[in-house]
Amino acid sequence: MLTRLPFIAALALGLLGATAESQSPQASQSGIVGQWEGDTFAAGNNAGITLNLYPNGTYSKRVVTVMHFGWTLDGNTLLIAPVTAISGDDVTFGKAVGMNVTLMGDSLVASAEGQSLLLRRVTWPVANQPLVGRWEGQSDLNEPITQDFMDTGRLILTIARSREAGRYTIKGESINWQEQIPNPERRRSRFKLEKGKMLLYISPKLPPIELNRVDPNTAKY
């Protein structure tokens, strides 16, 4: 939970909306406008990707890592252990790590090895189970963090690995990306649409990322 992770600045889609070119006919006629979700690989972990392709030719992309732990609370000591394998109902955990936690109403401070993390509760508290529920915060490098403490003793940690936004155009089976946030650059990706799925080829040396359409009308300004 306290691992230092790479940080990319948050999106400023309002700026994109203000500076975007007029609606791209290629984008509006391509059949790919909408929200797409799938799985990829980032920084050594499985990650989820959400890609929004907007009808005015702008896009946003967010990659998050979801990690699973077991947790127990003994006084002010929180022990968490990573889930290393799941086979049916059998769960295997790795080595547990302890940290000190301080609860102050809807705030929680976790500290270990000279680092600390402040979280805010975003769900109703559960009687006699002070940690159970959803907590949100930012790491020391400003990565958005969501922690879901389950009453089953499982902890689900979600953290943003990267965020990106810019403009796009379609030419044949290629998407031309003009990234604006966080780093201005241009690149091209091949894609295919098959049975409601998008196969996105990020690199010729890697298999495509398979994205499922969430709803063609969910990509909004």
Side-chain angles (χ1 to χ4, degrees):
M1 180 173 65
L2 298 174
T3 301
R4 297 178 66 87
L5 297 169
F7 166 67
I8 295 181
L11 296 174
L13 289 176
L15 294 177
L16 288 178
T19 59
E21 297 174 348
S22 59
Q23 179 173 327
S24 166
Q26 295 169 311
S28 63
Q29 296 174 12
S30 66
I32 69 171
V33 167
Q35 186 177 92
W36 300 83
E37 293 183 349
D39 296 319
T40 184
F41 200 71
N45 293 290
N46 290 326
I49 179 173
T50 299
L51 175 65
N52 281 295
L53 298 170
Y54 300 93
N56 69 343
T58 63
Y59 78 93
S60 65
K61 185 175 73 173
R62 180 172 183 258
V63 178
V64 300
T65 298
V66 179
M67 293 171 279
H68 294 257
F69 299 83
W71 71 274
T72 58
L73 181 64
D74 183 9
N76 291 329
T77 301
L78 173 66
L79 293 174
I80 62 171
V83 173
T84 57
I86 299 177
S87 178
D89 294 331
D90 296 328
V91 180
T92 303
F93 296 96
K95 182 179 179 180
V97 175
M99 61 190 66
N100 184 73
V101 294
T102 303
L103 284 164
M104 299 172 291
D106 289 333
S107 298
L108 182 154
V109 177
S111 58
E113 298 181 354
Q115 298 186 70
S116 64
L117 177 65
L118 172 64
L119 299 169
R120 303 286 186 183
R121 181 190 293 278
V122 295
T123 55
W124 290 103
V126 178
N128 301 318
Q129 299 189 73
L131 282 188
V132 171
R134 170 165 291 187
W135 300 78
E136 294 181 348
Q138 291 184 318
S139 73
D140 58 338
L141 294 181
N142 296 321
E143 301 96 349
I145 292 175
T146 299
Q147 298 197 24
D148 292 300
F149 287 87
M150 317 297 288
D151 58 6
T152 58
R154 294 286 288 275
L155 167 62
I156 302 174
L157 170 63
T158 305
I159 186 165
R161 287 285 182 179
S162 67
R163 296 172 182 262
E164 180 184 317
R167 301 175 183 172
Y168 75 99
T169 57
I170 306 298
K171 185 176 182 180
E173 291 189 336
S174 294
I175 302 178
N176 297 305
W177 309 101
Q178 183 181 347
E179 181 182 337
Q180 295 176 317
I181 300 172
N183 300 307
E185 66 175 13
R186 296 174 183 266
R187 62 186 182 279
R188 178 180 298 176
S189 302
R190 290 194 305 114
F191 78 96
K192 291 182 180 179
L193 296 179
E194 295 184 356
K195 299 180 180 180
K197 298 179 182 295
M198 182 194 299
L199 301 180
L200 188 62
Y201 296 82
I202 301 297
S203 169
K205 297 181 180 180
L206 298 174
I209 298 173
E210 184 176 294
L211 301 174
N212 295 292
R213 186 189 290 277
V214 177
D215 184 337
N217 300 312
T218 54
K220 301 177 180 180
Y221 302 102

